[in-house]
Amino acid sequence: MKIINILIALVTLVGACMIGSANTGGIGALWDAISLAIVVVPSYFLVAASTNSYTFYNDKKSLILFGNLALGFGLVGVLLGLIFTLAGMAHPPAPGVDPTAVLISNIAISLITLLYGLIFKYFIALPWAHSIKDK
């Protein structure tokens, strides 16, 4: 039942994103592999280091830590993205490229990192952690 409820929540979120992004390039605009790596990879390895195990997914406290770290690295990704965006403003744009469009697209990519952190914490880590029975 819990998995079905999580799936319904994810389908609702993805459906709303598909409808809302129909005029802006579609749901593909929400995919960025670098942002996903910034959120997931450091979080996973830091929790693995703290638990001395790569299979920490059976421990409630470790999953909550993973969710907190994913959200934290989402915020770090936003800051990095904004720093790179502002640093890029010092360079002249390529000929024929709208500098405002480049600026806004870079900000959008930095915000995707925060979205990934929120999704991993509230749609993956916390429901999974709360489905584990206390020992």
Side-chain angles (χ1 to χ4, degrees):
M1 187 67 164
K2 290 179 185 180
I3 293 175
I4 292 172
N5 289 336
I6 293 169
L7 288 175
I8 290 171
L10 283 173
V11 167
T12 303
L13 177 68
V14 171
C17 290
M18 289 175 72
I19 293 168
S21 65
N23 295 329
T24 60
I27 192 111
L30 293 175
W31 169 249
D32 184 45
I34 294 171
S35 297
L36 185 63
I38 287 172
V39 170
V40 174
V41 174
S43 302
Y44 175 80
F45 283 108
L46 286 174
V47 174
S50 72
T51 60
N52 287 328
S53 172
Y54 290 112
T55 57
F56 57 82
Y57 48 82
N58 290 326
D59 182 31
K60 183 181 259 189
K61 287 172 40 176
S62 298
L63 281 171
I64 291 173
L65 176 62
F66 176 77
N68 290 336
L69 286 173
L71 181 57
F73 278 106
L75 292 171
V76 168
V78 169
L79 291 176
L80 288 173
L82 291 176
I83 289 169
F84 293 147
T85 299
L86 294 174
M89 290 175 66
H91 303 292
V97 175
D98 182 17
T100 306
V102 172
L103 176 70
I104 299 301
S105 68
N106 287 336
I107 291 172
I109 289 173
S110 73
L111 290 175
I112 288 172
T113 311
L114 179 59
L115 176 67
Y116 288 160
L118 289 166
I119 287 173
F120 269 90
K121 180 172 183 174
Y122 292 109
F123 281 95
I124 296 172
L126 285 181
W128 193 349
H130 290 297
S131 70
I132 296 173
K133 303 277 187 228
D134 288 327
K135 295 177 184 179

